[in-house]
Protein backbone atom coordinates (compact mmCIF):
# COMPACT_ATOMS: atom_id res chain seq x y z
CA UNK A 1 0.00 0.00 0.00
CA UNK A 2 1.19 3.52 -0.75
CA UNK A 3 2.47 5.35 2.32
CA UNK A 4 0.45 8.45 1.35
CA UNK A 5 -2.67 6.45 2.17
CA UNK A 6 -1.96 6.89 5.89
CA UNK A 7 -2.54 10.63 5.73
CA UNK A 8 -5.57 10.19 3.49
CA UNK A 9 -7.40 7.92 5.90
CA UNK A 10 -6.75 10.11 8.95
CA UNK A 11 -8.79 12.79 7.20
CA UNK A 12 -11.64 10.29 7.21
CA UNK A 13 -11.57 9.77 10.98
CA UNK A 14 -11.14 13.50 11.58
CA UNK A 15 -14.35 14.30 9.73
CA UNK A 16 -16.28 11.53 11.49
CA UNK A 17 -15.13 12.87 14.86
CA UNK A 18 -16.05 16.44 13.92
CA UNK A 19 -19.52 15.29 12.89
CA UNK A 20 -20.12 13.35 16.12
CA UNK A 21 -18.74 15.98 18.50
CA UNK A 22 -21.79 18.31 18.52
CA UNK A 23 -23.84 15.40 19.94
CA UNK A 24 -21.61 15.06 23.00
CA UNK A 25 -23.66 14.89 26.19
CA UNK A 26 -27.04 15.17 24.44
CA UNK A 27 -28.20 11.67 25.32
CA UNK A 28 -28.80 10.70 21.68
CA UNK A 29 -26.35 8.01 20.62
CA UNK A 30 -28.28 7.18 17.44
CA UNK A 31 -27.96 10.63 15.90
CA UNK A 32 -24.33 10.85 17.02
CA UNK A 33 -23.56 7.56 15.27
CA UNK A 34 -25.56 8.56 12.19
CA UNK A 35 -23.65 11.84 11.87
CA UNK A 36 -20.28 10.10 12.20
CA UNK A 37 -21.26 7.39 9.71
CA UNK A 38 -22.51 9.87 7.09
CA UNK A 39 -19.37 11.99 7.39
CA UNK A 40 -17.02 9.01 7.22
CA UNK A 41 -18.80 7.56 4.21
CA UNK A 42 -18.72 10.89 2.39
CA UNK A 43 -15.03 11.45 3.06
CA UNK A 44 -14.08 7.93 1.97
CA UNK A 45 -15.09 8.83 -1.59
CA UNK A 46 -11.98 11.03 -1.79
CA UNK A 47 -9.53 8.28 -0.77
CA UNK A 48 -7.55 6.76 -3.64
CA UNK A 49 -8.41 3.10 -3.13
CA UNK A 50 -10.77 0.47 -4.43
CA UNK A 51 -12.02 -0.57 -1.02
CA UNK A 52 -14.48 -3.16 0.24
CA UNK A 53 -16.00 -2.82 3.71
CA UNK A 54 -15.37 -6.05 5.65
CA UNK A 55 -16.24 -4.61 9.07
CA UNK A 56 -18.80 -1.85 9.17
CA UNK A 57 -22.22 -0.82 10.36
CA UNK A 58 -23.88 -4.16 9.63
CA UNK A 59 -25.17 -6.22 6.73
CA UNK A 60 -26.59 -4.54 3.64
CA UNK A 61 -30.17 -4.91 4.87
CA UNK A 62 -29.24 -3.45 8.29
CA UNK A 63 -27.24 -0.35 7.33
CA UNK A 64 -27.82 2.25 4.60
CA UNK A 65 -24.08 2.90 4.29
CA UNK A 66 -20.73 1.46 5.33
CA UNK A 67 -22.43 -1.91 5.21
CA UNK A 68 -20.41 -5.10 4.85
CA UNK A 69 -19.54 -5.62 1.20
CA UNK A 70 -20.00 -1.98 0.17
CA UNK A 71 -17.42 -0.59 -2.23
CA UNK A 72 -15.80 2.60 -0.95
CA UNK A 73 -13.07 4.97 -2.01
CA UNK A 74 -12.50 6.61 -5.37
CA UNK A 75 -12.41 3.06 -6.85
CA UNK A 76 -9.03 3.96 -8.34
CA UNK A 77 -5.90 2.70 -6.64
CA UNK A 78 -4.99 -0.43 -4.68
CA UNK A 79 -7.64 -3.00 -3.77
CA UNK A 80 -8.03 -2.99 0.00
CA UNK A 81 -10.13 -4.32 2.84
CA UNK A 82 -11.64 -1.58 4.98
CA UNK A 83 -12.72 -1.95 8.61
CA UNK A 84 -14.53 0.97 10.21
CA UNK A 85 -16.22 2.06 13.37
CA UNK A 86 -17.35 5.64 12.70
CA UNK A 87 -18.16 6.13 16.38
CA UNK A 88 -16.62 3.61 18.74
CA UNK A 89 -18.40 4.42 21.97
CA UNK A 90 -21.77 5.85 20.96
CA UNK A 91 -22.95 5.70 24.56
CA UNK A 92 -19.81 7.54 25.68
CA UNK A 93 -20.64 10.47 23.40
CA UNK A 94 -24.30 10.48 24.42
CA UNK A 95 -23.31 10.65 28.10
CA UNK A 96 -20.31 12.96 27.65
CA UNK A 97 -17.82 10.35 28.85
CA UNK A 98 -14.21 9.70 27.84
CA UNK A 99 -12.63 7.37 25.25
CA UNK A 100 -14.98 7.75 22.24
CA UNK A 101 -13.13 7.37 18.94
CA UNK A 102 -13.65 7.40 15.18
CA UNK A 103 -11.66 4.44 13.84
CA UNK A 104 -10.58 2.94 10.52
CA UNK A 105 -8.16 0.23 9.40
CA UNK A 106 -7.07 -0.56 5.84
CA UNK A 107 -5.16 -3.62 4.60
CA UNK A 108 -4.47 -5.26 1.24
CA UNK A 109 -7.52 -7.14 -0.07
CA UNK A 110 -8.13 -10.49 1.60
CA UNK A 111 -6.23 -9.78 4.82
CA UNK A 112 -8.84 -8.54 7.30
CA UNK A 113 -11.06 -11.09 9.00
CA UNK A 114 -14.75 -10.61 8.24
CA UNK A 115 -15.56 -10.97 11.94
CA UNK A 116 -19.18 -11.83 12.73
CA UNK A 117 -21.14 -9.53 15.02
CA UNK A 118 -20.85 -11.53 18.24
CA UNK A 119 -18.77 -11.59 21.39
CA UNK A 120 -15.09 -12.42 21.32
CA UNK A 121 -13.03 -13.37 24.36
CA UNK A 122 -9.88 -11.21 24.29
CA UNK A 123 -6.43 -10.87 25.77
CA UNK A 124 -4.55 -7.76 24.64
CA UNK A 125 -1.06 -6.66 25.65
CA UNK A 126 1.63 -4.16 24.73
CA UNK A 127 5.06 -4.86 23.22
CA UNK A 128 6.64 -6.01 26.50
CA UNK A 129 4.21 -8.94 26.79
CA UNK A 130 3.67 -9.79 23.12
CA UNK A 131 4.20 -13.52 22.52
CA UNK A 132 4.52 -14.29 26.24
CA UNK A 133 0.92 -15.02 27.30
CA UNK A 134 -1.88 -17.33 26.21
CA UNK A 135 -5.64 -16.92 26.20
CA UNK A 136 -5.82 -20.64 27.00
CA UNK A 137 -4.33 -20.07 30.47
CA UNK A 138 -6.47 -19.41 33.55
CA UNK A 139 -6.47 -15.73 34.50
CA UNK A 140 -4.33 -16.39 37.58
CA UNK A 141 -1.62 -17.98 35.42
CA UNK A 142 -1.86 -15.14 32.89
CA UNK A 143 -1.39 -12.51 35.59
CA UNK A 144 1.52 -14.36 37.21
CA UNK A 145 3.28 -14.78 33.84
CA UNK A 146 2.74 -11.09 33.07
CA UNK A 147 4.17 -10.00 36.41
CA UNK A 148 7.25 -12.18 35.90
CA UNK A 149 7.83 -10.90 32.37
CA UNK A 150 7.46 -7.26 33.46
CA UNK A 151 9.54 -7.75 36.61
CA UNK A 152 6.65 -6.50 38.73
CA UNK A 153 4.72 -7.73 41.70
CA UNK A 154 1.26 -9.04 40.83
CA UNK A 155 -0.19 -6.32 43.04
CA UNK A 156 1.50 -3.70 40.85
CA UNK A 157 -0.24 -4.83 37.66
CA UNK A 158 -3.21 -2.90 36.28
CA UNK A 159 -5.79 -4.83 34.26
CA UNK A 160 -8.48 -3.11 32.21
CA UNK A 161 -11.87 -4.73 31.64
CA UNK A 162 -15.31 -3.67 30.46
CA UNK A 163 -17.68 -3.11 33.36
CA UNK A 164 -20.27 -5.73 32.45
CA UNK A 165 -22.36 -8.24 34.38
CA UNK A 166 -20.92 -11.06 32.27
CA UNK A 167 -17.47 -10.33 33.71
CA UNK A 168 -18.37 -10.77 37.38
CA UNK A 169 -16.62 -14.13 37.74
CA UNK A 170 -13.51 -12.86 35.95
CA UNK A 171 -13.46 -9.71 38.10
CA UNK A 172 -13.74 -11.82 41.25
CA UNK A 173 -10.75 -13.91 40.12
CA UNK A 174 -8.70 -10.79 39.38
CA UNK A 175 -9.48 -9.37 42.82
CA UNK A 176 -8.55 -12.66 44.43
CA UNK A 177 -5.16 -12.52 42.70
CA UNK A 178 -4.70 -8.94 43.91
CA UNK A 179 -4.20 -6.88 40.76
CA UNK A 180 -5.52 -3.36 40.28
CA UNK A 181 -8.56 -3.18 38.02
CA UNK A 182 -9.48 -0.24 35.81
CA UNK A 183 -13.05 -0.46 34.57
CA UNK A 184 -14.13 0.71 31.14
CA UNK A 185 -17.77 1.68 30.65
CA UNK A 186 -17.59 1.42 26.84
CA UNK A 187 -14.98 1.70 24.12
CA UNK A 188 -13.71 -1.80 23.43
CA UNK A 189 -11.14 -0.75 20.78
CA UNK A 190 -9.59 1.95 22.99
CA UNK A 191 -9.43 -0.50 25.88
CA UNK A 192 -7.64 -3.21 23.91
CA UNK A 193 -5.11 -0.72 22.54
CA UNK A 194 -4.40 0.91 25.91
CA UNK A 195 -1.72 -1.59 27.07
CA UNK A 196 0.47 -0.59 24.11
CA UNK A 197 0.79 2.98 25.45
CA UNK A 198 3.04 3.28 28.50
CA UNK A 199 1.36 6.50 29.62
CA UNK A 200 -1.96 4.72 30.24
CA UNK A 201 -0.49 2.54 32.99
CA UNK A 202 -2.49 -0.45 31.70
CA UNK A 203 -0.67 -3.81 31.55
CA UNK A 204 -3.40 -6.12 30.25
CA UNK A 205 -6.82 -5.94 28.67
CA UNK A 206 -9.06 -8.96 29.30
CA UNK A 207 -12.67 -10.04 28.97
CA UNK A 208 -15.16 -10.26 26.14
CA UNK A 209 -16.29 -7.61 23.68
CA UNK A 210 -17.35 -7.29 20.07
CA UNK A 211 -15.51 -9.44 17.53
CA UNK A 212 -15.37 -6.65 14.89
CA UNK A 213 -13.74 -4.38 17.48
CA UNK A 214 -11.19 -7.12 18.10
CA UNK A 215 -10.07 -6.96 14.47
CA UNK A 216 -9.75 -3.16 14.60
CA UNK A 217 -7.69 -3.46 17.79
CA UNK A 218 -5.49 -6.09 16.14
CA UNK A 219 -4.71 -3.67 13.32
CA UNK A 220 -3.60 -1.01 15.77
CA UNK A 221 -1.63 -3.40 17.96
CA UNK A 222 0.30 -4.76 14.98
CA UNK A 223 1.48 -1.23 14.25
CA UNK A 224 2.35 -0.71 17.91
CA UNK A 225 4.18 -4.01 18.42
CA UNK A 226 1.54 -5.34 20.79
CA UNK A 227 -0.66 -8.41 20.53
CA UNK A 228 -4.26 -9.51 20.85
CA UNK A 229 -5.57 -13.06 21.02
CA UNK A 230 -9.25 -13.78 20.58
CA UNK A 231 -11.79 -16.56 20.62
CA UNK A 232 -15.30 -16.20 19.23
CA UNK A 233 -18.18 -16.92 21.58
CA UNK A 234 -21.17 -18.10 19.50
CA UNK A 235 -24.21 -18.29 21.76
CA UNK A 236 -26.28 -20.73 19.70
CA UNK A 237 -26.22 -22.99 16.67
CA UNK A 238 -27.29 -20.13 14.38
CA UNK A 239 -24.25 -18.08 15.38
CA UNK A 240 -21.99 -21.11 15.00
CA UNK A 241 -23.28 -21.69 11.48
CA UNK A 242 -22.77 -18.00 10.69
CA UNK A 243 -19.09 -18.37 11.63
CA UNK A 244 -18.75 -21.42 9.40
CA UNK A 245 -20.42 -19.63 6.47
CA UNK A 246 -17.85 -16.86 6.83
CA UNK A 247 -14.95 -19.29 6.55
CA UNK A 248 -14.33 -20.01 10.24
CA UNK A 249 -14.68 -23.79 10.19
CA UNK A 250 -13.88 -24.02 13.92
CA UNK A 251 -15.80 -21.11 15.46
CA UNK A 252 -14.06 -21.51 18.85
CA UNK A 253 -10.45 -21.76 17.65
CA UNK A 254 -7.87 -19.38 19.08
CA UNK A 255 -7.53 -16.39 16.75
CA UNK A 256 -4.08 -14.86 16.62
CA UNK A 257 -2.99 -11.63 14.97
CA UNK A 258 -2.38 -13.28 11.60
CA UNK A 259 -5.86 -14.80 11.68
CA UNK A 260 -7.45 -11.39 12.20
CA UNK A 261 -5.35 -9.10 10.01
CA UNK A 262 -3.12 -11.33 7.89
CA UNK A 263 0.64 -11.08 7.64
CA UNK A 264 0.95 -8.08 5.33
CA UNK A 265 0.80 -4.35 5.83
CA UNK A 266 -2.02 -2.55 7.64
CA UNK A 267 -2.76 1.11 8.32
CA UNK A 268 -4.78 2.24 11.33
CA UNK A 269 -6.13 5.68 12.15
CA UNK A 270 -8.23 7.03 15.01
CA UNK A 271 -9.44 10.48 16.03
CA UNK A 272 -10.66 11.25 19.52
CA UNK A 273 -14.26 12.41 19.82
CA UNK A 274 -14.09 12.76 23.60
CA UNK A 275 -10.82 12.83 25.59
CA UNK A 276 -9.34 9.40 26.25
CA UNK A 277 -6.40 7.35 27.43
CA UNK A 278 -4.12 8.33 24.55
CA UNK A 279 -5.96 10.94 22.45
CA UNK A 280 -7.62 14.25 23.20
CA UNK A 281 -11.19 14.89 22.10
CA UNK A 282 -12.64 17.40 19.66
CA UNK A 283 -12.43 20.98 20.97
CA UNK A 284 -14.78 23.58 19.52
CA UNK A 285 -13.01 26.93 19.23
CA UNK A 286 -14.06 30.48 18.44
CA UNK A 287 -14.20 31.62 14.87
CA UNK A 288 -15.99 28.47 13.64
CA UNK A 289 -12.90 26.38 14.16
CA UNK A 290 -12.32 23.03 15.85
CA UNK A 291 -9.27 21.12 17.04
CA UNK A 292 -8.82 17.37 16.61
CA UNK A 293 -6.28 14.91 17.97
CA UNK A 294 -5.52 11.82 15.89
CA UNK A 295 -3.14 8.92 15.62
CA UNK A 296 -2.22 7.20 12.37
CA UNK A 297 0.20 4.30 12.08
CA UNK A 298 1.47 1.73 9.62
CA UNK A 299 2.57 -1.82 10.42
CA UNK A 300 5.21 -2.07 7.68
CA UNK A 301 7.28 0.81 9.02
CA UNK A 302 5.99 0.85 12.63
CA UNK A 303 5.77 4.64 12.25
CA UNK A 304 3.32 6.26 14.67
CA UNK A 305 2.17 9.78 14.00
CA UNK A 306 0.16 11.98 16.35
CA UNK A 307 -1.65 14.69 14.43
CA UNK A 308 -3.13 17.80 15.98
CA UNK A 309 -5.27 19.64 13.43
CA UNK A 310 -7.18 22.91 13.35
CA UNK A 311 -10.23 22.87 11.09
CA UNK A 312 -12.18 25.81 9.69
CA UNK A 313 -15.65 24.28 9.74
CA UNK A 314 -17.33 26.35 6.98
CA UNK A 315 -14.81 24.82 4.56
CA UNK A 316 -16.01 21.28 5.33
CA UNK A 317 -18.90 20.86 2.86
CA UNK A 318 -19.76 17.37 4.07
CA UNK A 319 -20.39 18.69 7.57
CA UNK A 320 -22.62 21.40 6.14
CA UNK A 321 -24.66 18.82 4.25
CA UNK A 322 -25.26 16.87 7.46
CA UNK A 323 -27.21 19.79 8.92
CA UNK A 324 -29.95 19.52 6.33
Amino acid sequence: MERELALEIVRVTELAALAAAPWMGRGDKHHADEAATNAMRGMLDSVSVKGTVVIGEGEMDEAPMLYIGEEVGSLQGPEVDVAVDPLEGTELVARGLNNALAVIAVAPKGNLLHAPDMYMEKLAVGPSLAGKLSLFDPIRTTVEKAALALNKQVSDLTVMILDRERHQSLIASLREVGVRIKFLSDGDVAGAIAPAFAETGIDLYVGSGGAPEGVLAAAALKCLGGEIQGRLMPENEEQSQRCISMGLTDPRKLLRMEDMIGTGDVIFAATGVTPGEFLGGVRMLEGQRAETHSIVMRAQTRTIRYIKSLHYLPNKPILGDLKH
Side-chain angles (χ1 to χ4, degrees):
M1 292 188 296
E2 289 85 350
R3 61 184 180 183
E4 292 82 3
L5 184 56
L7 294 179
E8 284 199 66
I9 68 166
V10 78
R11 293 167 57 239
V12 174
T13 57
E14 283 177 343
L15 202 71
L18 288 169
W23 294 96
M24 194 275 293
R26 293 188 174 183
D28 189 343
K29 65 180 183 179
H30 299 294
H31 278 99
D33 188 48
E34 182 182 38
T37 300
N38 289 340
M40 179 173 279
R41 179 63 183 83
M43 198 63 180
L44 271 170
D45 284 342
S46 68
V47 179
S48 301
V49 294
K50 185 177 182 181
T52 302
V53 176
V54 297
I55 290 175
E57 292 292 277
E59 302 293 343
M60 187 185 301
D61 58 352
E62 299 172 351
M65 60 181 66
L66 294 180
Y67 54 82
I68 296 167
E70 184 179 10
E71 290 191 343
V72 295
S74 67
L75 305 185
Q76 296 181 349
E79 291 190 85
V80 296
D81 290 340
V82 180
V84 300
D85 196 338
L87 184 52
E88 206 263 327
T90 55
E91 189 68 32
L92 297 175
V93 172
R95 297 174 59 197
L97 300 175
N98 289 352
N99 283 314
L101 300 171
V103 180
I104 188 170
V106 176
K109 187 174 179 63
N111 277 267
L112 296 184
L113 175 68
H114 179 187
D117 188 12
M118 64 181 63
Y119 285 135
M120 174 190 281
E121 184 183 0
K122 301 173 187 177
L123 170 63
V125 299
S128 298
L129 291 175
K132 297 178 181 178
L133 304 178
S134 173
L135 189 59
F136 285 128
D137 286 336
I139 192 62
R140 176 183 287 273
T141 303
T142 297
V143 167
E144 290 172 349
K145 285 183 177 180
L148 185 64
L150 296 174
N151 196 27
K152 289 183 176 183
Q153 297 294 318
V154 168
S155 59
D156 291 330
L157 292 181
T158 301
V159 178
M160 179 171 271
I161 187 170
L162 279 169
D163 188 7
R164 296 290 187 271
E165 184 67 30
R166 64 180 182 272
H167 289 150
Q168 287 309 303
S169 177
L170 183 56
I171 292 167
S173 296
L174 288 169
R175 285 184 167 147
E176 186 177 322
V177 174
V179 300
R180 292 190 293 254
I181 300 174
K182 187 165 186 179
F183 289 106
L184 193 65
S185 61
D186 286 283
D188 199 22
V189 175
I193 298 172
F197 294 92
E199 61 267 30
T200 67
I202 306 300
D203 297 299
L204 302 168
Y205 181 78
V206 301
S208 60
E213 288 82 0
V215 175
L216 282 161
L221 287 166
K222 183 174 183 180
C223 300
L224 292 161
E227 180 188 24
I228 185 171
Q229 298 174 33
R231 185 162 45 198
L232 294 173
M233 303 170 67
E235 297 177 357
N236 50 47
E237 182 61 25
E238 181 182 349
Q239 289 193 356
S240 294
Q241 288 302 317
R242 177 165 169 74
C243 294
I244 293 170
S245 70
M246 296 168 74
L248 298 166
T249 53
D250 179 5
R252 297 184 183 275
K253 71 168 282 191
L254 181 69
L255 298 173
R256 300 189 181 275
M257 299 279 280
E258 58 267 26
D259 298 311
M260 291 189 250
I261 55 171
T263 57
D265 198 10
V266 63
I267 297 172
F268 175 91
T271 301
V273 181
T274 58
E277 299 287 344
F278 54 91
L279 285 176
V282 175
R283 291 179 58 218
M284 295 299 180
L285 307 173
E286 61 181 14
Q288 301 184 78
R289 296 178 304 142
E291 178 183 282
T292 58
H293 297 257
S294 305
I295 188 169
V296 59
M297 39 197 175
R298 185 182 180 193
Q300 183 172 302
T301 59
R302 293 278 292 274
T303 300
I304 302 165
R305 289 184 172 89
Y306 288 92
I307 299 176
K308 176 181 175 181
S309 303
L310 289 176
H311 307 267
Y312 183 58
L313 300 178
N315 285 353
K316 304 286 184 182
I318 294 176
L319 292 180
D321 292 342
L322 295 179
K323 297 177 180 178
H324 301 295

